[in-house]
Amino acid sequence: MIQLTAYWHLWAVAAVIGLIALNYATQFIGPALKLKTSLAQVNGHLALMAKNPPGTLIDLVQLKNEVMTSPAFRHAWEQYTGTLQQQWQAAESGPLGAARQRVSHLSKAFFTHMGQTSNGGRIDLSKLEQLAQTDDQLAQLWAQYNHAIEALQQLETSGSTTPGQWQANSHAENYFTEQALVDSPLQSNFYKHIPGILTGVGIIGTFTGLIAGLVSFDVSNPERVQAELSQLVQTVGHAFLVSALAITLAMVFTWIEKSVLTGRYRQVEQLQQWLDTLFAPQGGTQFMERLTQATEIQAALSYKILSQLRASTPQAPQR
């Protein structure tokens, strides 16, 4: 008991080291292991999805509810899905292109037939439906034209309601970042300083032991000099032992921290690669090309309709 009282300062330093180690294990190592499991589950699910045949539907809502369950994953996923859209399909190919061509052909056929039946007279475009009812062939063309327009609208708007092949406008690394998924949840910016704190505590323990030993060292009594010197050596020895323990823990914690963070960063990189594989991000140049092509197609369709209207409507005689 007397010896424990004499070394109270060393026990205090050892207790501080123990509290630091306990906090490190519960607040950094524990969450890091949970994050490892979460990232492994997400990567495993995405890997299974990547093995599906091309054209397999991807339900973004289901992926969010079943896979992106943690707050950090959910927040990054909501931002990332804002860049997703249906994969681009050329205007003159596939079902969408066929629907547009059908609308164009029916429009041309309808107004050509209407021009023939009007015998060169002026056509009142506000009464198209009434005019179409007076001619069976015109009525059939009008019904087909309306049906084709509805089908085209359904194809053009199906991308906002039906999950399918999605494409991102940006890479996943811009949203699923190491800072958001690893550094912030694990508070790595704080715990990377723990080794330095331990080293500082160990140095404090060493100086505390030296000061305590020198203060209690009494040379006034020659008969007790040898005993006092032995006590001083023991005190200094214990102080260096505490310092060595702190420095050893600092080295171990540094290795653990770097290993843990490197492993989590590698998993985040795998997550980014799987997302880029599934959603095939495109660059800004491709997006501008898409926008330009869509604008040109819309302008061409508008010009065709306007030309057909002008061709089917006779000009008023000049006076």
Side-chain angles (χ1 to χ4, degrees):
M1 186 66 181
I2 296 177
Q3 192 172 6
L4 292 177
T5 304
Y7 297 135
W8 67 268
H9 49 281
L10 299 179
W11 287 108
V13 173
V16 172
I17 295 175
L19 291 175
I20 293 175
L22 179 62
N23 180 268
Y24 190 82
T26 56
Q27 301 299 320
F28 180 77
I29 302 300
L33 294 177
K34 293 181 180 178
L35 180 60
K36 177 182 179 180
T37 303
S38 299
L39 284 169
Q41 292 176 352
V42 173
N43 287 335
H45 192 92
L46 294 178
L48 291 176
M49 294 179 62
K51 294 179 180 179
N52 292 333
T56 303
L57 300 182
I58 299 177
D59 191 337
L60 301 182
V61 177
Q62 182 181 4
L63 192 60
K64 171 185 174 181
N65 295 332
E66 296 182 358
V67 181
M68 308 295 177
T69 54
S70 69
F73 283 113
R74 189 176 295 272
H75 178 69
W77 178 251
E78 290 176 352
Q79 291 184 323
Y80 180 69
T81 52
T83 69
L84 298 180
Q85 56 189 352
Q86 287 274 314
Q87 285 188 354
W88 178 251
Q89 186 180 55
E92 303 301 330
S93 63
L96 187 59
R100 286 175 175 169
Q101 291 178 3
R102 177 171 174 77
V103 169
S104 178
H105 294 327
L106 289 173
S107 175
K108 183 177 180 180
F110 177 80
F111 286 105
T112 299
H113 186 75
M114 180 171 285
Q116 295 174 354
T117 57
S118 64
N119 296 322
R122 180 179 294 275
I123 300 176
D124 189 355
L125 298 180
S126 63
K127 298 180 179 180
L128 284 179
E129 293 188 5
Q130 296 178 4
L131 294 174
Q133 292 176 359
T134 61
D135 188 307
D136 293 338
Q137 186 176 359
L138 204 60
Q140 184 179 4
L141 287 173
W142 180 252
Q144 292 177 356
Y145 178 76
N146 286 332
H147 180 73
I149 286 292
E150 294 177 358
L152 177 60
Q153 291 176 346
Q154 290 178 358
L155 287 174
E156 289 179 340
T157 60
S158 61
S160 60
T161 57
T162 303
Q165 291 298 314
W166 296 94
Q167 189 171 40
N169 291 329
S170 179
H171 290 275
E173 64 182 4
N174 296 326
Y175 301 92
F176 292 86
T177 62
E178 297 174 352
Q179 175 67 31
L181 299 183
V182 179
D183 293 336
S184 293
L186 299 184
Q187 305 179 57
S188 61
N189 289 331
F190 170 77
Y191 285 101
K192 68 180 181 181
H193 297 293
I194 291 296
I197 295 175
L198 283 173
T199 303
V201 171
I203 294 174
I204 292 174
T206 299
F207 280 102
T208 301
L210 289 173
I211 292 172
L214 292 175
V215 169
S216 62
F217 186 68
D218 185 10
V219 295
S220 60
N221 189 352
E223 297 180 355
R224 292 188 52 83
V225 168
Q226 186 174 1
E228 293 289 339
L229 184 61
S230 176
Q231 182 68 25
L232 175 62
V233 171
Q234 291 182 7
T235 302
V236 172
H238 288 106
F240 277 108
L241 180 61
V242 172
S243 179
L245 174 63
I247 294 175
T248 301
L249 286 177
M251 296 173 63
V252 172
F253 285 6
T254 300
W255 181 82
I256 292 175
E257 178 210 0
K258 300 305 179 185
S259 300
V260 167
L261 292 180
T262 300
R264 301 301 79 75
Y265 291 157
R266 188 180 299 112
Q267 287 182 301
V268 171
E269 184 179 357
Q270 292 175 353
L271 170 62
Q272 297 168 356
Q273 292 174 354
W274 285 124
L275 289 175
D276 288 342
T277 300
L278 287 172
F279 300 108
Q282 59 179 353
T285 303
Q286 293 178 333
F287 178 75
M288 291 303 299
E289 291 177 355
R290 274 191 49 190
L291 184 60
T292 302
Q293 186 177 3
T295 304
E296 292 176 350
I297 292 171
Q298 186 66 31
L301 290 175
S302 300
Y303 178 76
K304 289 180 181 179
I305 294 175
L306 182 60
S307 299
Q308 293 166 5
L309 289 174
R310 288 176 176 175
S312 61
T313 304
Q315 298 293 331
Q318 297 182 353
R319 294 180 180 179

